[in-house]
Every structure is written in structure tokens, then in C-alpha cells.
Amino acid sequence: MKNEGGASKSQEPDDVKRWLANSDTHQTWMNAFYGDSKNQDFYEAAFDRILDIVRPPEGAIFLDAGCGVCAHSIRLANRGFLVHAVDFSEAALDMGRASVKALGLEEKIRISSGNITELPFADESYDYVLCWGVLMHIPDLVKALTELARVLRLGGTLVVSEGNMSSSDSILGRTLFRPLRRRKTVMKKTPAGIEYRTSTGSATRFVRFANVNWLIRRFETEGVYIQERFSGQFTGAYTMVSFGLLKDLIHHFNMSYFNHNGDPRVASGNILIFQKH
Ligand SMILES: C[S@@+](CC[C@H](N)C(=O)[O-])C[C@H]1O[C@@H](n2cnc3c(N)ncnc32)[C@H](O)[C@@H]1O
């Protein structure tokens, strides 16, 4: 079944929800992305650059749509902003609540449950919206884009981070897909990107490497225009490596790619800054 723009619609949205409802899913991400100080250095540098471009006034409110364990909500709060953190996974929100409480940031970060495909906010409620590493896990992408655009105020800024289907990570993954015979995973090319669905019992892991140009054009139809596109990390290979020295080398390469403004068209991570006109 296809929705507008050809992005395939989830046939088992409840299965994807079940995968995201599981605390193991979030613990795995937490270990892979936030358990290592070199990766934290990258996130700090990325948010320095984002905030340098966006320049929100101190005390500005960010909607962190798909906040997960609140890692970036905390980063924003530590930089003087207020955050409304929303996710539909209670497991993730519980982990986020615990971190926010441990850091004494309850006054700065308001955490609530909400689905990005039907956000519980009025039209034009936010000047700043962050959606980091989230759209790639939403089967009904068009609905999510429409909702993000709807809650963004005219003149407001939307910051998105997504995986890129033209990156070497994604191309290598596609090339090795058949030889590795990943029987439980189904790969599908759609105009919105390359989608992978992996069944694990009653749950389905869903990941999309985005067709970034499609994403940019689709947001335009909602009146949300690209302002800046730059590379995030060149590769996510460090998540698959346990050998410390090799991991450090990958982080070093990623950081230097980011610092030297490497071409986003071949980078695994893409950071997109949009404005609603
Ligand atoms: C990879 S995690 C990223 C979390 C956080 N943004 C970060 O960068 O640490 C993706 C998050 O998106 C959330 N998510 C996926 N689909 C969602 C939806 N339709 N509504 C709300 N949250 C959703 C998941 O529960 C998960 O916490």
C-alpha cells in the first residue's frame, strides 16, 4: 500500500510500535550512541553549529519531537533553552524522565506522551522544532512531515537529522544485503528512501535511509523550506565495532569530516535546517 509520494505505508504499524515500546530498543540505542564520550563530542559540536545558524533567544522553547531518552532535550536545556519533549514510547519516556530528574532539569524539560503522526498541539504552536533520528523510524512519513509543518509557527525553524540513502554506509548495506542473506529483513526502495523491515516475533524493526532530496521537496509542499544542509557523521560504523582503537579512528574521521564541512550527499548523517515561510 502506498501513500502520497510513494513512501510505502506500514502494513503493520502496531508491530513497529511494539518494537519502539520495548525498553531494550532504547537501551541498545543509548549504549550505541550515548555511551561513549567521543560520540558526545560530535553531538556537542553538531548542536554548536545548529544553534549558531538558528540563533534562538535564551529561554526559547523547543519541541523535541521523538525525544527518546531525552539526550538532546538535556543538551538544549543545558544551553539555556526550555524543551517540550514528546515521544510515543513510554519506555523511552521513563528513561528520559529518570535522566532529567537525576540532573535536576524538571523545570526546563516538560515530558509528555504524543505521536508525531497526530501531534497533540494546536497549529503553529512552536518557533523551534527538533526531530533528530526519528523520521527514519516512521512508516507513515508524509503524515509525520505534515504534522511537524502544522505545529511550526510561520517564520519558525525545524531541525531534522536523518540517515542518507546515498551515503557509503547505505550503499554498502544494500550491496551486502543479498550476500548476507538477511532472511528476516525485507528491503524496499521507495521514492522516500530505502526501507528495511526486520521481524522479531510480534515486533518489526523499521529503518529508512532517506532520499534527502525527496524529503526537502516534500517539506516544501508544506511551506517549509530548506535553509541549510550539512553533513552529520560520515559513517555509523563505530556502532558495529567493539575494538577501541578502531572505534576511536572512526570517531576521529567522523569529527574531522564534520569540522571540515564534508559533502553531505555522501555522509551517513544529514542535518537539515528548514524555515516555514
Ligand atoms: C532513534 S530514536 C531517537 C531519539 C532522540 N531523538 C535521539 O536522537 O536521541 C527514535 C525515537 O523516535 C520515537 N518515535 C518513532 N516514531 C514515533 C512517533 N510516530 N511518534 C512519536 N515518537 C516516535 C521512538 O520511540 C524513539 O524514541
Side-chain angles (χ1 to χ4, degrees), residues 23 26-28 30 68-70 90-100:
S23 60
H26 300 278
Q27 193 60 56
T28 304
M30 199 142 121
V69 297
C70 290
E90 278 307 320
L93 292 177
D94 282 347
M95 291 161 87
R97 281 186 196 103
S99 303
V100 167

Side-chain angles (χ1 to χ4, degrees), residues 100-151:
V100 167
K101 188 166 182 222
L103 293 166
L105 289 171
E106 296 106 312
E107 298 288 303
K108 292 190 158 188
I109 303 175
R110 192 184 82 190
I111 298 177
S112 58
S113 179
N115 189 331
I116 295 172
T117 62
E118 41 186 348
L119 282 168
F121 307 114
D123 297 358
E124 311 226 345
S125 338
Y126 288 97
D127 287 311
Y128 304 98
V129 177
L130 172 72
C131 193
W132 188 287
V134 179
L135 295 175
M136 62 180 73
H137 300 302
I138 303 186
D140 196 347
L141 180 60
V142 169
K143 192 75 181 54
L145 303 188
T146 310
E147 279 296 271
L148 291 172
R150 181 184 66 76
V151 301

